[in-house]
Amino acid sequence: MKNITLPSPHKILNIIHETNAEYTFRVECNIETKHGQFFQLSIPKVGEAPISVSGKGDGWIEFTIRKVGQLTNGLFALKPGNMLFMRGPYGNSWPIDKFKNKDLIVIAGGTGLAPVRTILNYFYDHPDEIKSVNVIVGFRDINCVLFDYDLKRFKTKFNMICTLDNDKAEGFETGMVTAHIKKIPFSSFEDYNVVMVGPPIMMHFAGKELLANGVEDSKMWVSFERKMSCAVGKCGHCKINETYVCLEGPVFNYTKAKNLLD
């Protein structure tokens, strides 16, 4: 019987230094993954952490990781050719089929852009499967901007609002993502969905602002990138009320997510 908690080694193909605090690791992998799923990444005798897939292609997947503790310090010391241990994928996924042939709004804050990057790349490559894509992505300042190369590509096909919390730079608005939600022409859409990912406080206020703009709960989707530990519903670390985030999430419709947000 397969041990679902046993990690396996995968070779690091490339490491992209996105910012001083965030690196993207491209890892050799032929495991099929869905948009929005996550893996448990680990270093033996150091620890492990849940990380969403931020990119995928033929024979590889990517993880965008923020340097925040002992494990990530160890990960940042690795080099291409080294082995990264991982298990997964775990969790559910973004309901891509529900998004097709409708308008899509994506609201992301900071590293929250990573879990939605694969669906943005999907609709960038398949523009005939979506009516329109509207993106609001916010970063603390210009030094925190992720995937700058992707943002430039996305601007050629998507309606993009890139904003900095309290900074000014060419090509960027200023202010929190919530301040720009009113710019989305919801009334012109026949049918649409909203995806939002970021810190819980961001999703809380973004959700309230969306509701104030007439968006129904059922049209909103979020992803929780925190609290998970074992990823298989055994440890209870991710449990919020009666919900195991690792099993029922990390993607939730807002009808349920609004009762799980901190």
Side-chain angles (χ1 to χ4, degrees):
M1 182 179 294
K2 181 181 178 181
N3 185 344
I4 60 173
T5 63
L6 183 66
S8 59
H10 294 260
K11 186 169 70 173
I12 298 173
L13 301 175
N14 191 24
I15 301 175
I16 301 170
H17 294 195
E18 305 282 358
T19 70
N20 290 333
E22 287 109 354
Y23 290 5
T24 293
F25 293 76
R26 178 171 290 192
V27 180
E28 190 173 61
C29 182
N30 290 302
I31 302 172
E32 183 178 352
T33 64
K34 298 178 181 179
H35 303 281
Q37 289 189 302
F38 69 96
F39 282 74
Q40 290 286 131
L41 306 187
S42 62
I43 298 177
K45 299 182 181 180
V46 177
E48 68 175 3
I51 306 291
S52 293
V53 174
S54 64
K56 57 181 183 174
D58 186 16
W60 56 266
I61 56 176
E62 289 181 337
F63 303 96
T64 301
I65 302 171
R66 182 174 178 81
K67 191 175 183 180
V68 293
Q70 184 178 5
L71 174 64
T72 52
N73 286 342
L75 292 174
F76 273 42
L78 298 176
K79 296 177 173 57
N82 291 159
M83 293 296 176
L84 177 62
F85 285 78
M86 47 193 266
R87 57 184 176 93
Y90 296 112
N92 62 357
S93 59
W94 299 111
I96 289 289
D97 288 341
K98 288 182 179 290
F99 299 164
K100 290 181 179 179
N101 302 312
K102 300 176 184 177
D103 296 285
L104 178 65
I105 300 93
V106 175
I107 303 171
T111 53
L113 182 58
V116 298
R117 183 177 173 227
T118 64
I119 59 174
L120 291 175
N121 275 317
Y122 179 85
F123 287 121
Y124 181 90
D125 293 333
H126 302 85
D128 56 316
E129 295 185 17
I130 196 81
K131 282 190 175 180
S132 74
V133 178
N134 299 263
V135 181
I136 305 175
V137 56
F139 303 97
R140 187 175 60 202
D141 55 52
I142 195 63
N143 296 316
C144 296
V145 175
L146 291 174
F147 313 124
D148 181 60
Y149 44 92
D150 280 333
L151 297 180
K152 291 175 181 176
R153 284 192 309 118
F154 294 156
K155 286 180 179 179
T156 65
K157 292 186 180 180
F158 303 158
N159 303 313
M160 297 283 297
I161 298 175
C162 300
T163 185
L164 305 175
D165 292 352
N166 297 295
D167 203 0
K168 293 183 179 180
E170 184 177 355
F172 288 84
E173 304 285 341
T174 300
M176 304 293 183
V177 294
T178 49
H180 300 281
I181 288 175
K182 61 181 178 292
K183 298 177 182 178
I184 302 296
F186 294 105
S187 61
S188 69
F189 300 148
E190 183 176 341
D191 198 359
Y192 63 89
N193 288 280
V194 181
V195 164
M196 54 179 173
V197 188
I201 191 69
M202 185 222 89
M203 292 193 290
H204 173 75
F205 284 105
K208 291 183 68 173
E209 186 65 21
L210 287 164
L211 293 172
N213 279 270
V215 179
E216 299 174 12
D217 290 1
S218 60
K219 294 182 181 294
M220 296 190 283
W221 305 84
V222 304
S223 177
F224 290 115
E225 274 210 298
R226 56 194 294 273
K227 294 182 178 289
M228 291 175 287
S229 184
C230 73
V232 293
K234 300 299 183 184
C235 72
H237 188 265
C238 71
K239 192 176 181 183
I240 305 176
N241 301 325
E242 299 303 315
T243 299
Y244 287 86
V245 175
C246 68
L247 297 181
E248 297 184 44
V251 174
F252 291 93
N253 185 266
Y254 195 73
T255 53
K256 182 159 189 173
K258 64 183 178 181
N259 297 317
L260 303 177
L261 288 168
D262 293 336

